[in-house]
Amino acid sequence: MRPLETLPPTETLEIENGLSLVPRVKLNLTIHPSLPSVSKPIDEWQLKRALIDFLKTSLSVSVTVPEEDLQIKRLKDLKKRKRDEPVAHGALFIRDIRFLSSKKKIEEVDNEEEDVKELEKKFLEWRSYVAEKMDGIELNLEGVKYNLSVEIPASDDFERMRKDWEESYAFRNRGYSRGGRQEPDTIVLRGVPSRWFAEPRVSSKPSMLVTHTIFSTFGKIRNLNVSEDEDLAKGMDEYELDIGIVSGLHCKIIVQFEKYRDFYNALKVLCGRSLQKQGSRLSADYEVTWDKDGFFRNSRSQNQDKSSKMQEPAAVRYRSEAPRREPHVSEFTSNDTRRKRFKVRIQLNDDDELGFLNENIGAHLDDLCKSRLNEVRLSVK
């Protein structure tokens, strides 16, 4: 496999297990009605036709996009919609970008790295051009006007992510650090089919061994976590999806690399590409980002807390459950004067007398109440 530093953004990268990373342009779409009080559902078919015709006729280079590469999520119930909310969300995928490659320049430029930089610049400029050209256009669908908003997703914008982690780690690296300068090293990948990372004829669930083999293409791995992506469709309950998202069919992969350079190159290659499997027509349009939450660092600290609790002596763990001693009651009042002591005489009907100090009166009275006495008369001297 060629070095990742020399891979242009318009070239496909073949990795392990029959998987390929195919370049594409993704744009997020948001559709608002021109009049906030619209009550008619948007026509999905007409919306797609209008956007496809625009891409064919209104750009400097005609772009053909099949309908399946336009994903639309319509709001189910317009009556519950707030005035400033959109009536639909969507995503546009432009997969045929071969026209951006320039063979003439490749032959003329001796330095391969310079050629890659030229292609990167051309790719980024053209993507921004398409987004700016589409953003703000007005669509007239069956007499109802809509406004289109277009933006480049954060998971496809490598330069934006790089600035984010540089600012974040610049704050962390202020002053002196015992462990030296800190840099990001972990990638989070969501929305990839679980069966593509499973062991064939063994299970449909993703395998740690298979996943490790695939991502070792990008560099030496320190930690790896694979789990079902249950939150993939969260927040989409209010929208009708033209492509269903079924829980359990997609997985979330978190990869921590040994070296910052491997992390950097892997994230750059994963940005702006989709995953394809040999023999399958499906394209997995995943989301990728860097780990902002310190997943493995937090997991390690939790495990250390658990192990320290297990090693803690029983006497220390249950110290709080030991019986507390009764508080000592001073014989002095707040005025630092000694409490007065006096005698109490109990007169019974049989003319017997008992004399005792006041601090013992409670116990003696309790015993007397339990007895069957006819009459008790207390007098205090």
Side-chain angles (χ1 to χ4, degrees):
M1 188 179 73
R2 66 182 298 173
L4 298 181
E5 296 90 341
T6 62
L7 183 70
T10 56
E11 187 172 316
T12 298
L13 176 67
E14 294 184 358
I15 54 180
E16 296 292 333
N17 210 37
L19 297 176
S20 300
L21 291 169
V22 183
R24 49 101 177 117
V25 170
K26 178 183 178 182
L27 299 174
N28 286 340
L29 313 176
T30 308
I31 300 98
H32 287 86
S34 298
L35 298 176
S37 59
V38 67
S39 58
K40 184 179 180 180
I42 190 170
D43 190 306
E44 181 183 324
W45 183 82
Q46 285 199 2
L47 173 61
K48 287 186 175 184
R49 293 311 311 167
L51 294 176
I52 290 172
D53 291 341
F54 179 88
L55 293 170
K56 279 184 178 180
T57 60
S58 302
L59 300 179
S60 57
V61 177
S62 179
V63 175
T64 301
V65 176
E67 284 192 23
E68 57 266 24
D69 286 338
L70 258 173
Q71 300 177 4
I72 303 298
K73 312 174 184 72
R74 297 187 304 176
L75 192 67
K76 291 180 181 179
D77 191 353
L78 291 177
K79 294 180 181 179
K80 297 181 180 180
R81 170 185 165 269
K82 297 179 181 179
R83 291 175 65 87
D84 58 343
E85 286 183 340
V87 294
H89 287 283
L92 166 66
F93 296 92
I94 304 175
R95 304 189 190 277
D96 188 3
I97 54 175
R98 290 172 295 179
F99 64 89
L100 292 174
S101 299
S102 176
K103 294 182 179 180
K104 185 177 180 180
K105 282 190 175 183
I106 293 176
E107 294 172 357
E108 292 176 354
V109 179
D110 295 332
N111 193 330
E112 192 174 10
E113 290 185 4
E114 291 183 7
D115 180 58
V116 170
K117 290 181 180 179
E118 286 295 322
L119 281 174
E120 285 180 358
K121 182 180 178 182
K122 188 176 182 180
F123 171 82
L124 296 176
E125 288 178 349
W126 187 82
R127 184 178 64 177
S128 298
Y129 159 75
V130 176
E132 293 172 1
K133 193 76 173 176
M134 295 183 67
D135 186 45
I137 65 173
E138 187 177 75
L139 303 170
N140 193 333
L141 308 177
E142 292 185 336
V144 182
K145 294 182 179 180
Y146 299 90
N147 295 322
L148 179 68
S149 298
V150 179
E151 64 176 0
I152 299 169
S155 61
D156 269 32
D157 196 339
F158 176 77
E159 288 302 318
R160 191 195 309 180
M161 284 193 282
R162 184 177 62 83
K163 289 179 181 178
D164 287 345
W165 82 59
E166 285 179 352
E167 290 177 1
S168 176
Y169 278 86
F171 179 78
R172 300 182 193 181
N173 289 324
R174 286 180 181 177
Y176 296 95
S177 176
R178 293 181 181 179
R181 180 178 176 82
Q182 295 182 353
E183 290 178 321
D185 55 8
T186 305
I187 289 175
V188 181
L189 195 71
R190 299 184 58 189
V192 291
S194 298
R195 65 179 183 274
W196 289 1
F197 294 84
E199 296 185 38
R201 298 181 296 275
V202 176
S203 173
S204 60
K205 294 185 178 181
S207 163
M208 290 286 286
L209 179 61
V210 174
T211 306
H212 190 281
T213 303
I214 293 171
F215 280 92
S216 293
T217 304
F218 303 107
K220 191 174 181 180
I221 296 173
R222 177 178 297 170
N223 285 306
L224 179 67
N225 180 272
V226 186
S227 61
E228 291 185 1
D229 198 353
E230 299 176 352
D231 299 332
L232 187 61
K234 184 177 289 186
M236 288 294 147
D237 296 339
E238 298 178 355
Y239 292 89
E240 297 175 354
L241 306 183
D242 58 349
I243 295 181
I245 298 177
V246 182
S247 177
L249 297 184
H250 296 82
C251 62
K252 178 180 179 181
I253 301 172
I254 305 177
V255 188
Q256 184 182 33
F257 291 95
E258 290 278 358
K259 298 179 180 179
Y260 168 78
R261 184 177 180 180
D262 293 336
F263 155 83
Y264 182 96
N265 291 333
L267 184 57
K268 189 173 183 179
V269 169
L270 289 167
C271 276
R273 285 179 167 86
S274 295
L275 194 65
Q276 289 186 353
K277 175 80 171 177
Q278 186 177 5
S280 174
R281 298 179 60 185
L282 176 67
S283 292
D285 300 306
Y286 53 79
E287 293 182 2
V288 64
T289 186
W290 62 283
D291 178 26
K292 306 176 182 67
D293 304 320
F295 176 83
F296 292 109
R297 183 174 63 252
N298 294 336
S299 300
R300 193 181 305 115
S301 62
Q302 290 175 3
N303 292 334
Q304 288 176 354
D305 290 343
K306 289 180 181 178
S307 61
S308 62
K309 287 181 180 179
M310 292 177 65
Q311 295 173 3
E312 195 175 33
V316 176
R317 273 186 305 204
Y318 299 108
R319 183 182 297 166
S320 60
E321 298 181 7
R324 296 182 179 179
R325 295 182 179 180
E326 293 297 329
H328 173 72
V329 179
S330 174
E331 293 184 357
F332 294 88
T333 63
S334 58
N335 297 327
D336 294 334
T337 58
R338 194 172 184 85
R339 293 181 179 178
K340 294 181 179 181
R341 306 179 71 165
F342 54 89
K343 291 184 178 182
V344 176
R345 186 182 67 183
I346 300 177
Q347 185 69 35
L348 305 178
N349 60 346
D350 54 355
D351 297 327
D352 289 337
E353 267 190 7
L354 293 175
F356 48 87
L357 295 176
N358 65 314
E359 54 262 28
N360 295 326
I361 188 171
H364 283 278
L365 286 176
D366 186 63
D367 294 335
L368 291 172
C369 290
K370 293 179 182 179
S371 305
R372 297 181 178 180
L373 299 176
N374 295 327
E375 183 179 356
V376 175
R377 185 172 65 252
L378 297 178
S379 60
V380 179
K381 289 184 180 182

